[in-house]
Amino acid sequence: MTRVRYLIARRVVQVAILLLYFGGNYYGWKMLTGDLSSSSILGTVPLSDPYAVLQMFVAGAVISSNILIGAAIIFLFYALIGGRAFCSWVCPVNIITDAANWTRRKFGFDMVAKKQPSTRHLRYWVLVISLIISFFLGLTAFEFVSPISMVHRGIIFGMGFGWAAMAILYLFDLFVLKNGWCGHICPLGGFYSIIGKFRLLKVKHDSVACTGCMNCKVVCPESQVLHMIDKVSVPVTSGECTNCGRCIDVCEDNALGFFLKVKNNNEGEINNEKNE
Amino acid sequence: MNHKQEKVKSYRQPLSKSRRGFLGTTRNIGLAILGGLTWSAYVDEAKANKLLLRPPGALKESDFLKTCIKCGLCVDACRNRNGNIIFDDNGKRVGTKDPTLRLAVPGDNKPLGNPFFIARENPCFMCDDIPCVPACPSGALDILSVTNKKTKKLDINMARMGLAVVHKESCIAYWGLQCDACYRACPLMGKALSINMQMNKRTGKHAFLLPVVHSDICTGCGLCEKACIVEKAAIFVLPRELAMGKVGTHYVKGWDKKDQQRVGVAQSIHTIDKRSEKKAIDKLNNPGGLLDD
Ligand code: SF4
Ligand code: SF4
Ligand code: SF4
Ligand code: SF4
C-alpha cells in the first residue's frame, strides 16, 4: 500500500497558507496578509519573494527596507534550510502539476509520448532572460506573465480569467511535456534550485536497504536527482529536489528519509557502495 | 551502391562531438533570443495601457510598474477600511462591500496584479486615515506624497489619482437643466468642483449651473463620476498626464509677480542660418526676385 504521510502534510500546509491569505483579505484576519509576492505576518514580520525583488532591483526600482528585510528572511530560510521546499509545500501551482502527473500515471499517458523534447536546464535560461528583459524594459518581467501569481492571486483576490492559466498548466503538463512547467520552465523553481543547493534539509538514501523497486523514481517530479538510488548511499544533493518527500512516502523498504544536516558530519554520506 | 544512396548516407554520418556541441549551443541561443523577444513584445504591450487609475499616492506610472510588488496589501486595507465592513444587528461582522481597489486579473487587459480602480463602479472614498497607503510595503504608494509637511499628518486631499473632466455636450447642466449631482458628491465641493452660473439666452430668464473642475485641487477620486446621472458619465476621471495640457516656458503671466520673475533669468537665443547673413532691412529692400524689377 502506498503511504501518503508527506503528501497529506503538504496539502494541508498548502491549503492552510492559501486559506490564511484568503481570510486576510475577505475576513480581515491579521495572521497572514498580502500574497506570495509580499506579505506580512500579524502586520509586523515582512516576507517577500526574493526572485521578484531581484527583478525589481534589475529593473532599477528603489527597494524599500520592508521589502528588503522580507526578501532576506525568505531567502535565508530556503537557502539554509528548506531548499526548494517552496515548490512542494507552498506554491499552489504544485497542486495542479501534481494532479497532471497523477493523471498521466493513472491513464498511462507516459506510454504514449516517451520522448521528452526539452531539457530541464531551460528554467535557468528563462531565469536569465527574465532578468535581461527586466533590465531593458524597466519592469518585473516574470511577474507580468507569471501563472503562479495568476493562480495564487486569483484565489485570494478574485480569479477573472485566471482559471485559464490553471487549465493551461494542467493540460501542458498532461499532454505536452511531463513535469513541463515545474520541472522545465518555471524560473522561480529554478531560482530556488540555485539558492537551495546548500540547504540543510535533505533526503538521504540507504542503498543497502533499497530493493531497487524504483517506485521513488516513478513519483519523483525531478527524477534526475535520484541518480544514486540502488547504487550508493549518498543524500540527494541537487538543488532541483523539491523536498516533497513523495519518494519517502512510496518507499516500502525504509531506504529513504529526511535528515537535517546541522553539524558537518557525514551521516547519510556513508560511502558503503552497494555490493551485490 | 548507386550515387543517390551514397548521398543519403553522407547526410546520416554522425556529427563530430565538437560540431554537435556547437550546433546545440547555437540552437539554444537562438531559442533564447526567440523566447526573449516574444516575451518582451508581450510585456511591452501590456504595460502600455495608459487608461487606468492608480490608488492614492501612487508613484508615476513607469516607477510604479517596477516598484509595486503586487502583494495586494492595499486592496486588503481598502476592503477592510472603516465603513466598508458590514455588521449585522448584533454588531457581528458578516462581510464587506467590494473594495475600491482591485488587482488586475487576466481579462482586465491591464498590467497583471497591479492595483487600480474604476471610478464609475467604485470610486475612492478619500478616507481620512488613507488605510491603503501605509499598508504598502514597497513604497509604490508613496506615503510622503500624501503627508502634510507641517503637521506630519496624512492628508488625502494631497492625492492626485487623476483629474475629472466634463464632456459638455452630454452634461445636462450645459443643456440648461438643473443638476448638480457631481458638485454635491465632491468631497472638496466648491474647491475642486464649483458651479459657474451663466445666463441662459435661449429662455432669457433661467441660469445655466455649470460644473467646472479645478485641476489644482481635484484629487481624481471619481465620486463625481459615480454620481453623474446620465447614462455614460459626462464627468469622468482621466489619468492626469492624459487630461492635462502644458504651456511650456515661452509664455509668462505678466500680471503675476512670481511668474514674471522667470523673465529675469531668461536668456535670448540667436539663430544663425543663411538668412541671417544679411540684415533684416536689406532683406526687406531686396526681397530677391519676389517683386518685378
Ligand atoms: S516550479 Fe514554479 S510553479 Fe512549480 S512549484 Fe516551484 S515555484 Fe511553483
Ligand atoms: S483612500 Fe480610497 S483607495 Fe484608499 S482605502 Fe480609502 S477608498 Fe480605498
Ligand atoms: S500595497 Fe503597494 S506593492 Fe502591494 S499591491 Fe498595493 S501598491 Fe503594489
Ligand atoms: S474627482 Fe470629482 S469628486 Fe473627486 S475631487 Fe475631483 S471633482 Fe471632486
Side-chain angles (χ1 to χ4, degrees), chain B residues 21-96:
Chain B
F22 169 75
L23 285 179
T25 314
T26 314
R27 176 172 176 270
N28 285 346
I29 294 174
L31 287 177
I33 294 174
L34 173 71
L37 287 178
T38 318
W39 188 351
S40 349
Y42 168 75
V43 170
D44 207 41
E45 274 304 306
K47 75 159 185 189
N49 193 325
K50 290 214 166 80
L51 271 177
L52 43 69
L53 302 177
R54 297 296 185 198
L59 300 175
K60 79 172 196 302
E61 186 69 7
S62 58
D63 288 334
F64 183 81
L65 283 179
K66 59 179 115 167
T67 312
C68 169
I69 198 167
K70 312 182 187 223
C71 64
L73 282 165
C74 51
V75 178
D76 272 9
C78 186
R79 179 183 285 281
N80 296 294
R81 68 179 190 260
N82 289 336
N84 203 49
I85 302 169
I86 307 168
F87 297 98
D88 66 7
D89 294 341
N90 305 321
K92 200 173 150 267
R93 177 183 164 128
V94 286
T96 66

Side-chain angles (χ1 to χ4, degrees), chain A:
Chain A
M1 205 196 83
T2 322
R3 291 180 296 169
V4 286
R5 191 158 61 116
Y6 287 117
L7 181 63
I8 290 176
R10 272 171 41 218
R11 292 293 176 259
V12 169
V13 173
Q14 279 164 334
V15 172
I17 290 175
L18 286 176
L19 196 67
L20 285 180
Y21 278 131
F22 180 86
N25 182 30
Y26 279 91
Y27 307 129
W29 299 347
K30 287 279 160 280
M31 204 36 204
L32 190 61
T33 47
D35 62 25
L36 287 176
S37 299
S38 186
S39 36
S40 155
I41 302 177
L42 294 170
T44 39
V45 184
L47 302 173
S48 291
D49 170 1
Y51 173 48
V53 176
L54 182 62
Q55 292 169 66
M56 287 163 66
F57 176 75
V58 175
V62 181
I63 316 267
S64 75
S65 55
N66 184 310
I67 294 283
L68 214 54
I69 296 169
I73 294 175
I74 293 289
F75 182 93
L76 288 176
F77 175 73
Y78 289 116
L80 295 179
I81 303 171
R84 220 183 134 191
F86 172 82
C87 290
S88 53
W89 293 81
V90 181
C91 184
V93 169
N94 171 264
I95 303 178
I96 300 170
T97 54
D98 272 3
N101 257 330
W102 179 85
T103 321
R104 251 178 191 272
R105 282 199 299 274
K106 194 83 188 162
F107 294 94
F109 285 113
D110 283 352
M111 305 299 146
V112 189
K114 272 204 166 143
K115 197 163 178 286
Q116 287 283 75
S118 177
T119 151
R120 285 182 183 262
H121 290 314
L122 188 60
R123 53 189 153 203
Y124 305 116
W125 287 82
V126 177
L127 179 62
V128 171
I129 293 171
S130 75
L131 296 179
I132 296 176
I133 299 177
S134 298
F135 178 77
F136 281 108
L137 294 187
L139 40 77
T140 51
F142 183 63
E143 305 310 306
F144 260 68
V145 296
S146 161
I148 312 169
S149 315
M150 282 181 220
V151 172
H152 176 65
R153 280 197 305 263
I155 294 166
I156 306 170
F157 298 106
M159 194 54 94
F161 286 130
W163 58 264
M166 299 167 87
I168 290 171
L169 287 170
Y170 179 77
L171 295 174
F172 180 74
D173 269 28
L174 181 55
F175 294 128
V176 181
L177 188 61
K178 183 179 178 183
N179 300 127
W181 175 257
C182 293
H184 291 78
I185 300 174
C186 177
L188 184 56
F191 178 82
Y192 282 122
S193 298
I194 295 171
I195 69 166
K197 177 82 184 117
F198 301 104
R199 69 195 178 278
L200 295 178
L201 183 67
K202 287 185 181 137
V203 172
K204 64 167 189 256
H205 175 56
D206 178 355
S207 66
V208 181
C210 175
T211 55
C213 69
M214 296 298 157
N215 277 350
C216 50
K217 284 208 173 185
V218 173
V219 294
C220 179
E222 301 280 349
S223 52
Q224 76 282 3
V225 308
L226 290 176
H227 53 79
M228 77 296 290
I229 293 297
D230 203 19
K231 296 197 186 91
V232 268
S233 292
V234 291
V236 175
T237 50
S238 165
E240 287 166 2
C241 167
T242 66
N243 270 343
C244 68
R246 210 47 205 122
C247 52
I248 306 173
D249 273 349
V250 299
C251 181
E252 289 168 1
D253 308 299
N254 276 325
L256 290 159
F258 277 126
F259 84 111
L260 196 62
K261 196 178 90 175
V262 184
K263 276 183 291 157
N264 198 13
N265 62 12
N266 282 340
E267 205 243 314
E269 288 187 41
I270 329 147
N271 57 348
N272 48 353
E273 295 269 336
K274 183 149 183 164
N275 31 29
E276 314 252 340

